[in-house]
């Protein structure tokens, strides 16, 4: 048999990857899948229970030659992907800092991807550039930023993909400004400053832009300043560097550190830095959003002396810096998505009043947790709570009361990227601090092992603390209360374990 | 009147930003909005007709205090956003290179955002890390990459946000490797190589990682090599740099340049570079995807001699490099989304066979356009067509036939970021080349001015060419044919304009 086909018929036999009707049908399926996921999110263990390599054993080693229907893929997501997730959107997720999803944010992303425009220049899609400028003005107003940070005041803002990108861009700008004055050959003399609490992405950024690894100063912090950077220590470091012929370049001050949400004193640090012509970047990745509430705005007082500021607007991270308006020149990548659309949807769908309330409700729940810790004399809050993060532990006195103060540390205890592995064998006597740390490690391991909640830890000033961060969009008082009961229950068990 | 409210009631009065039922309702609305958009996408002028500043005059200067319903926001998108878009997904969009959206890709993004997990370490969501590794193996197989680039061969791949990020990461790795040998103080001696056709983001990346601006060598290319980099010119440049005490570091070879999709000869360039211990990165951002078709795979022959490779998998850009598997160490940012999910959906929903067909159908349409150009003796194809990009112009001979060869160039002709502004006044006599360029500029301006299609331009070897890139997901033969008729119509008009 012989047959002919018109070109049009041949074409329609080929893949039609963006058929509107098929898009509508499959789009509704995915939305329903997600709606059902949020409905039942608490049924999953927060923390994935899979073993390394589980997925490569479950899925084919090679890509399929022919198409598979979405129904099959969704089945596989249920079977193979969901069990391998740590459920960041679960109301029982109290680890790291949350990335709080919202309907408006997700819809904004869908629109941004669905319209599929690039916005590297005004011409490439005027709406994208203009909406981003406007959103940066809106955010600037919400944060009461000084006029020089706004387009209307000669400055301006940009949405970056992440904090590290914001730091690389400002650091490279600061570097080039100074090198134009002192000559490119002096790049090895440039020094940058942060504290021992600054996020590690700062060091990564500094190395990327070619700062000599020996010229990255991490100023020590202590409990005395609640792990905030001490301006006189900064001054001392700068003066010493100048004395040996180095060139102080850039200071990264953090409002809300990753470990304990500590606050570097922006105003005083800016004063020291400005005396020596050092660029100041304020990294408010976590706490910046809280500054839209009047009660927190004071924390970035002094920002008018800084050169740049970046923060995380619930997963949108604008960084305020200098002029122009082909946004490709404001960032690393040439290509850029229409991310302002997401921010616009979020701000309008919630309104400023509700965004404030949302942040305040998280702080209120963290305060509740702090009170619960305070009521149980076996526990202590280790660092001052600033926002919605409580750093706590079983206290040394509780340990000695329970006859564990001269206990033993398991020989194969190890912490690996927040994943705590801890054997049960008891081998050698250790110091009391190590012992307390070990008990708290074991406590966290047991808590997370239940799959009912997820918390993470930090070590500050040698002290192992459990971090309880409130920030999941779906979190309610009952989740906080039952998380605390879980902590207490496991503390009971651990404190009655005699060596 | 006085009233009391329980805490639960108060809480429910507050914003519930991720209510599953509301998510479902609004999610369906947005999906329907996009399905309707694709259905009617050809009704919009491809190229936005708005004037700078149009949006800030239309939208409020301050964020709303109270929430607004999604219905209002969607109205505003129709009224204010759509007119300000350049419709990249339109089948009449032949500009730049396309970012082709697909149902599977958009659904993958929705899932990735909806699940809202971060995947900076294996522990933070095992499925995300494991699926990304597996997808990199799948892609590696599709591209028939040499084993050392695969995890199974001791190498491995990662999904970056964009090419510039891939280059920064590999460039910083190459830099640090060499500086460990020759000392950090010698950073100013490092030299990097590209061609005058290499994408400008390479220079940006080199400056970011601290390469002295004077040490970025852009090797000249000519029509003789179809604007591919000449290995002997590279060798000459390297030898000269070594002679004056500099240290050759890194070569960026491009397969499918931005302007004309020219191809640098990977194998020969690698041989020259390897003689002098220079890191070779193959940037196949545009043409890499085509290499899944057997007929194009030969273009990356020699990649086994390179150190790294990056390409753009229809807007997902993996870069193949070295070991480990906490993906945060493979990229700039610490945080990372579950982007492998999107790639998985795309590969499974289409299957390798259809992805190949899809690419081949775009090449076929470009070939058709090339033939149409060839049939009209007023036009010429300026550069060899390699993939789905045709670079053409009105030819010098057509111009002289029409008595325009000693014509005049408008005094206020200017090109700004692909946005062509060109007055109509005719002022001073110019050389023939400038004249031909001007005529083609005017042709492109008139074509785009209709709003019926969008094409862009490039200047190579002093010649202004109109770029006709086929790549929109929805493009069919009729769009290509009517785009060509439009070109011919405007050529008629221009060629009958006598000075």
């Amino acid at each position: 048999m012989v047959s002919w086909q018109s070109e049009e018929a041949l074409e329609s036999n080929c893949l039609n990857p963006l058929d509107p009707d098929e898009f509508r049908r499959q789009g509704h399926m995915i939305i329903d899948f997600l709606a059902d996921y949020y409905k039942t999110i608490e049924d999953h263990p927060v923390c994935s229970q899979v073993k390394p390599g589980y997925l490569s054993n479950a899925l084919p080693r090679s890509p399929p030659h022919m198409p598979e229907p979405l129904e099959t893929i969704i089945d596989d997501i249920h079977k193979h992907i969901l069990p391998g997730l740590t459920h960041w959107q679960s109301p029982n997720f109290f680890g790291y800092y949350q990335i709080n999803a919202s309907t408006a944010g997700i819809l904004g992303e869908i629109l941004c991807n669905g319209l599929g425009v690039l916005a590297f220049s005004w011409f490439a899609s005027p709406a994208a550039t203009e909406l981003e400028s406007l959103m940066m003005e809106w955010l600037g107003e919400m944060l009461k930023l000084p006029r020089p940070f706004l387009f209307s005041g000669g400055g301006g803002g940009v949405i970056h993909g992440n904090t590290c990108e914001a730091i690389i861009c400002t650091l490279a700008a600061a570097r080039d400004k100074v090198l134009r004055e002192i000559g490119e050959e002096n790049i090895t003399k440039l020094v940058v400053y942060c504290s021992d609490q600054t996020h590690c992405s700062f060091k990564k950024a500094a190395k990327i832009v070619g700062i000599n690894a020996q010229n990255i100063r991490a100023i020590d912090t202590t409990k005395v300043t609640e792990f905030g950077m001490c301006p006189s220590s900064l001054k001392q470091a700068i003066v010493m560097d100048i004395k040996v012929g180095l060139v102080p370049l850039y200071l990264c001050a953090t409002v809300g550190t990753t470990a304990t949400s500590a606050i570097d004193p922006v105003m005083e640090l800016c004063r020291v830095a400005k005396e020596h012509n050092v660029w100041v970047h304020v990294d408010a990745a976590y706490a910046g959003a809280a500054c839209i509430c009047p009660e927190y705005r004071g924390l970035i007082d002094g920002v008018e002396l800084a050169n740049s500021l970046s923060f995380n607007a619930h997963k949108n991270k604008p960084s305020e810096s200098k002029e122009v308006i082909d946004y490709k020149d404001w960032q690393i990548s040439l290509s850029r998505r229409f991310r302002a659309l997401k921010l616009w949807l979020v701000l309008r769908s919630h309104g400023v009043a509700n965004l404030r309330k949302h942040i305040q409700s998280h702080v209120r729940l963290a305060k509740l947790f702090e009170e619960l810790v305070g009521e149980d004399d076996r526990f202590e809050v280790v660092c001052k709570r600033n926002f919605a993060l409580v750093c706590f532990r079983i206290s040394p006195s509780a340990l000695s009361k329970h006859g564990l103060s001269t206990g033993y540390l398991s020989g194969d205890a190890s912490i690996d990227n927040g994943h705590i592995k801890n054997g049960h064998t008891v081998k050698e006597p250790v110091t009391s601090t190590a012992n307390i740390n070990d008990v708290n490690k074991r406590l966290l391991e047991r808590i997370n092992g239940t799959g009912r909640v997820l918390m993470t830890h930090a070590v500050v000033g040698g002290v192992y603390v459990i971090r309880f961060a409130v920030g999941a969009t779906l979190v309610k008082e009952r989740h906080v209360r039952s998380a605390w009961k879980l902590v207490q229950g496991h503390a009971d068990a651990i404190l009655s374990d005699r060596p």
Side-chain angles (χ1 to χ4, degrees), chain A:
Chain A
M1 207 197 101
V2 187
S3 75
W4 284 264
Q5 282 197 303
S6 74
E7 195 153 32
E8 198 61 39
L10 266 174
E11 253 179 355
S12 75
N13 283 350
C14 263
L15 166 95
N16 185 351
L18 196 55
D19 176 76
D21 295 321
E22 200 48 29
F23 173 82
R24 192 187 312 265
R25 188 184 74 83
Q26 295 188 16
H28 286 192
M29 275 172 70
I30 288 287
I31 293 292
D32 290 343
F33 168 84
L34 285 173
D36 294 343
Y37 172 70
Y38 299 134
K39 270 215 160 132
T40 57
I41 196 165
E42 293 187 55
D43 300 347
H44 299 279
V46 187
C47 197
S48 172
Q49 312 284 308
V50 300
K51 298 272 169 284
Y54 88 99
L55 194 63
S56 50
N57 298 324
L59 297 183
R61 301 223 161 246
S62 296
H65 194 65
M66 297 305 292
E68 300 181 76
L70 185 58
E71 287 78 355
T72 311
I73 300 175
I74 289 181
D75 272 356
D76 280 352
I77 292 174
H78 278 292
K79 233 183 285 171
H80 301 302
I81 302 297
L82 294 186
L85 293 184
T86 291
H87 298 274
W88 284 67
Q89 302 309 326
S90 164
N92 296 310
F93 183 100
F94 301 100
Y96 309 100
Y97 285 127
Q98 283 79 359
I99 44 159
N100 21 24
S102 69
T103 299
I106 296 169
L107 299 190
E109 286 273 1
I110 297 176
L111 267 183
C112 161
N113 284 304
L115 292 175
V117 304
L118 282 195
F120 44 80
S121 64
W122 184 88
F123 175 72
S125 255
T129 297
E130 298 206 5
L131 191 63
E132 185 159 338
S133 306
L134 185 64
M135 288 308 99
M136 292 302 97
E137 298 292 275
W138 281 18
L139 276 184
E141 186 184 319
M142 289 164 69
L143 288 170
K144 298 197 190 311
L145 286 185
R147 272 186 53 78
F149 280 89
L150 305 181
F151 286 110
S152 49
V158 58
I159 305 179
H160 279 301
N162 51 68
T163 301
C164 197
E165 191 182 332
I167 290 178
I168 287 175
C169 290
T170 53
L171 198 43
R175 176 198 66 188
D176 293 343
K177 187 167 163 265
V178 169
L179 289 184
R180 270 193 300 276
E181 290 160 19
I182 65 172
E184 291 215 37
E185 68 282 8
N186 288 310
I187 184 172
T188 54
K189 292 187 184 162
L190 300 177
V191 189
V192 299
Y193 304 85
C194 62
S195 89
D196 58 5
Q197 296 300 308
T198 306
H199 193 274
C200 60
S201 62
F202 176 70
K203 283 190 191 174
K204 199 169 180 178
K207 283 181 196 161
I208 284 175
V209 305
I211 302 298
N212 191 319
Q214 272 116 51
N215 290 354
I216 303 173
R217 308 265 172 274
I219 311 280
D220 286 339
T221 63
T222 63
K223 180 81 181 87
V224 178
T225 58
E226 284 293 347
F227 303 103
M229 197 191 300
C230 171
S232 66
S233 305
L234 172 69
K235 198 185 170 77
Q236 213 176 349
I238 289 177
V239 168
M240 215 133 86
D241 284 327
I242 292 174
K243 216 174 256 173
V244 298
L246 296 174
V247 180
L249 174 69
Y250 187 102
L251 163 70
C252 179
T254 306
V255 179
T257 61
T258 307
T260 66
S261 76
I263 298 163
D264 290 338
V266 174
M267 175 84 83
E268 291 89 325
L269 292 173
C270 279
R271 286 199 182 122
V272 171
K274 291 294 109 179
E275 262 177 55
H276 301 283
N277 246 326
V278 168
W279 181 297
V280 182
H281 180 79
V282 179
D283 172 8
Y286 167 61
C291 297
I292 67 167
C293 305
E295 64 272 34
Y296 294 117
R297 173 54 179 81
L299 295 176
I300 53 168
D301 277 358
V303 71
E304 58 277 11
L305 300 173
N307 301 73
S308 49
L309 161 78
S310 61
F311 80 101
N312 185 339
H314 289 247
K315 234 202 149 194
N316 278 298
K317 295 162 194 176
S319 142
E320 315 285 328
S321 12
K322 296 280 153 56
E323 268 145 327
V324 245
I325 214 53
D326 275 349
Y327 265 126
K328 68 180 166 51
D329 303 325
W330 289 55
Q331 61 172 26
I332 290 179
S333 168
L334 181 74
S335 67
R336 65 194 330 271
R337 299 161 58 225
F338 191 176
R339 288 176 293 199
L341 206 51
K342 178 179 178 181
L343 201 48
W344 190 49
L345 245 86
V346 169
L347 295 178
R348 294 186 65 182
S349 297
H350 298 320
V352 177
N354 275 333
L355 287 171
R356 284 191 187 130
K357 259 192 226 165
H358 189 61
I359 288 166
Q360 286 159 341
S361 79
H362 286 164
V363 173
R364 189 176 57 75
L365 289 178
K367 225 166 154 179
L368 167 67
F369 189 84
E370 186 184 28
E371 284 162 16
L372 294 172
V373 175
E375 284 164 14
D376 185 331
D377 63 7
R378 299 171 301 172
F379 288 90
E380 65 179 10
V381 172
V382 182
C383 314
K384 184 172 166 261
R385 182 194 53 74
N386 287 315
F387 305 99
L389 171 70
V390 181
C391 296
F392 70 101
R393 63 167 179 169
I394 292 179
S395 70
S397 62
L399 227 54
S400 62
K401 249 187 236 159
H402 287 80
L404 287 167
S405 65
T406 53
Y408 294 81
L409 178 66
S410 150
D412 55 354
S414 73
I415 311 164
D416 175 19
N417 266 318
H419 191 190
I420 295 136
K421 304 169 201 150
N422 197 348
H424 293 281
T425 50
V426 167
K427 288 176 186 162
E428 21 170 36
V430 288
T431 67
S432 181
T433 303
N435 190 26
I436 296 160
N437 284 353
D438 178 54
V439 166
N440 280 290
K441 261 185 238 174
R442 269 193 287 150
L443 175 60
L444 180 59
E445 183 194 28
R446 289 199 190 187
I447 294 167
N448 285 342
T450 64
R452 288 171 53 200
V453 299
L454 183 115
M455 301 177 199
T456 49
H457 78 278
V459 178
V460 276
V463 172
Y464 184 98
V465 299
I466 300 175
R467 295 172 75 263
F468 185 84
V470 181
T473 309
L474 295 166
V475 68
K476 299 214 181 286
E477 187 173 322
R478 65 184 163 87
H479 301 107
V480 173
R481 289 197 182 272
S482 71
W484 175 242
K485 284 220 179 85
L486 191 71
V487 172
Q488 284 183 309
H490 285 281
D492 290 345
I494 281 182
L495 290 174
S496 59
D497 271 4
R498 300 293 152 97

